[in-house]
Amino acid sequence: MINILKKIIFLIIGVIFIVLVFNFLKIDELKFSDIMSNYFNWKILLCIGCYIISHCIRTLRLYIISGDVNASLKALFVEQFKTNGVNLIMPFKLGEAYRFLRFKKVFNSGFTSLNTIIIERFFDFFILASLFSLGLFLYPNEILEIQNTLVSIMLVLVLILVVLLAMQDAVLMLHKRLLYRFQSRYSFKLLKFSYEFLRNSKEAKNILRTKSLSILSFSILIWSFELLSLFLFFNELDYRIDLIILLTVFIAFSSLLPNGPLGFGGVQLSFYSIFLLFNKFDDYLVASTAYTIYIFGSGIIISLIIFIRNSVIKSK
């Protein structure tokens, strides 16, 4: 009962926060009415469906990456949608820490959970960088500022690879030194940690060597449905695929910003960036808020339903 009350209180706080964001963005009742009426049509259901399907495919990708045949696929589906809701609420991708903890329970291993999330995000980053390049290639004009951003993204991608490779060698050296030089209680704990790290690093390399094509295929499917969701949602962009691609990438990376619940702030900034590239898209604030409410809102509602269901089951 206490847990249910806590969730209700957090929900009320979240609603209040969203109202404050609405007031800050100066979205009055008339505009909110426009959002709910102008954008609500049969396509909305298709967009939400595409969004949900993309997360179902994400779950299958996690299952393939983990390689844990003993893990419950049903539990993984539940945790994927639960953690997605938390990720939509927390800024700076802090929800990834919650994902790690929840997947740790599913896989019964912290290292497997960490490996799975790192590999998953690496492939997401790679697909987004590829989409960004494609969007810039298709866009008719040269955008120097955005091109510089692409260079920065590619440098970060290379840096992640270098760090991961260097980290394994560094831990291996530490492991050997602990093995031959120190015999204290703490050194044995570090020895156990370094052994687990090296073993899981080897497993991660094996996953990349044997499953890269499968993981890449699932990643392409995931972001294809994300693109389709945006493509169906907005006709203000004249169905220009280059702008849809760039908008998808901007929204994905906006989650790294200190946003409010439902990504408020970062999503609006993403739409404004597209407005600067496509001046006909003048009502970007209403459009971005509609996308936030209908698409991200559906993700949080699904997560909330799962949380409430689990709380009711535990209370019985």
Side-chain angles (χ1 to χ4, degrees):
M1 186 65 182
I2 295 176
N3 289 331
I4 295 176
L5 287 175
K6 284 182 180 179
K7 289 178 173 61
I8 292 173
I9 291 171
F10 290 148
L11 177 62
I12 293 172
I13 293 172
V15 171
I16 292 173
F17 197 95
I18 290 174
V19 171
L20 292 174
V21 171
F22 265 67
N23 291 334
F24 176 75
L25 295 173
K26 296 181 173 57
I27 301 175
D28 54 30
E29 293 182 3
L30 179 61
K31 277 201 169 184
F32 184 75
S33 176
D34 291 340
I35 292 168
M36 302 307 292
S37 59
N38 294 346
Y39 284 91
F40 186 77
N41 50 54
W42 63 271
K43 287 185 179 180
I44 288 294
L45 299 178
L46 289 178
C47 297
I48 295 174
C50 289
Y51 179 74
I52 293 173
I53 289 172
S54 73
H55 280 278
C56 290
I57 300 174
R58 285 179 187 275
T59 306
L60 295 175
R61 184 179 64 175
L62 285 168
Y63 192 74
I64 289 174
I65 294 173
S66 69
D68 187 357
V69 294
N70 296 317
S72 169
L73 186 58
K74 179 183 176 181
L76 199 56
F77 267 102
V78 170
E79 295 303 336
Q80 170 62 28
F81 282 99
K82 280 174 61 178
T83 55
N84 177 56
V86 174
N87 248 341
L88 288 171
I89 293 173
M90 299 183 71
F92 292 118
K93 282 290 185 182
L94 294 176
E96 293 297 329
Y98 180 73
R99 292 187 82 221
F100 165 74
L101 294 174
R102 298 309 304 176
F103 291 151
K104 180 181 177 181
K105 290 187 175 182
V106 176
F107 299 128
N108 294 316
S109 170
F111 279 106
T112 301
S113 175
L114 185 62
N115 273 348
T116 302
I117 292 173
I118 289 174
I119 293 173
E120 173 199 40
R121 291 311 183 194
F122 176 80
F123 275 89
D124 280 340
F125 205 85
F126 175 76
I127 293 294
L128 286 170
S130 302
L131 284 174
F132 201 9
S133 303
L134 179 61
L136 290 176
F137 176 77
L138 294 175
Y139 189 74
N141 301 321
E142 185 177 359
I143 320 169
L144 186 60
E145 294 82 1
I146 297 182
Q147 288 175 346
N148 292 337
T149 304
L150 176 61
V151 173
S152 302
I153 291 174
M154 298 306 294
L155 288 174
V156 170
L157 193 64
V158 172
L159 181 63
I160 291 173
L161 281 173
V162 171
V163 169
L164 290 176
L165 293 173
M167 187 180 295
Q168 184 177 6
D169 291 335
V171 173
L172 181 60
M173 291 176 62
L174 175 65
H175 184 84
K176 290 180 178 179
R177 185 171 181 82
L178 288 171
L179 189 62
Y180 292 110
R181 295 289 300 275
F182 301 99
Q183 300 294 325
S184 69
R185 179 163 58 94
Y186 296 107
S187 64
F188 280 117
K189 288 183 178 180
L190 284 173
L191 194 62
K192 182 180 179 181
F193 173 82
S194 62
Y195 168 76
E196 289 293 330
F197 178 85
L198 291 171
R199 184 174 64 84
N200 283 273
S201 297
K202 186 177 179 180
E203 288 180 6
K205 283 186 175 180
N206 184 55
I207 289 170
L208 290 174
R209 186 175 64 254
T210 59
K211 300 181 180 179
S212 288
L213 187 59
S214 299
I215 299 170
L216 183 62
S217 300
F218 274 99
S219 301
I220 292 172
L221 271 176
I222 289 165
W223 289 103
S224 295
F225 276 102
E226 295 277 357
L227 281 168
L228 183 59
S229 178
L230 270 173
F231 188 79
L232 293 171
F233 201 83
F234 299 112
N235 52 22
E236 290 92 338
L237 298 177
D238 293 343
Y239 298 109
R240 283 182 52 179
I241 190 63
D242 55 339
L243 295 176
I244 295 293
I245 288 174
L246 290 175
L247 181 57
T248 300
V249 175
F250 291 163
I251 291 174
F253 284 120
S254 71
S255 60
L256 300 173
L257 300 173
N259 305 316
L262 294 170
F264 272 113
V267 175
Q268 280 65 39
L269 179 61
S270 302
F271 277 77
Y272 178 70
S273 301
I274 296 299
F275 164 71
L276 295 177
L277 303 179
F278 188 65
N279 293 329
K280 295 179 184 177
F281 187 34
D282 54 351
D283 210 2
Y284 65 90
L285 185 56
V286 173
S288 60
T289 306
Y291 180 82
T292 301
I293 292 173
Y294 284 117
I295 306 302
F296 288 173
S298 65
I300 288 186
I301 289 172
I302 293 172
S303 176
L304 182 63
I305 291 172
I306 294 173
F307 272 112
I308 293 174
R309 175 182 172 277
N310 290 347
S311 297
V312 171
I313 291 174
K314 286 181 180 178
S315 64
K316 287 184 179 180

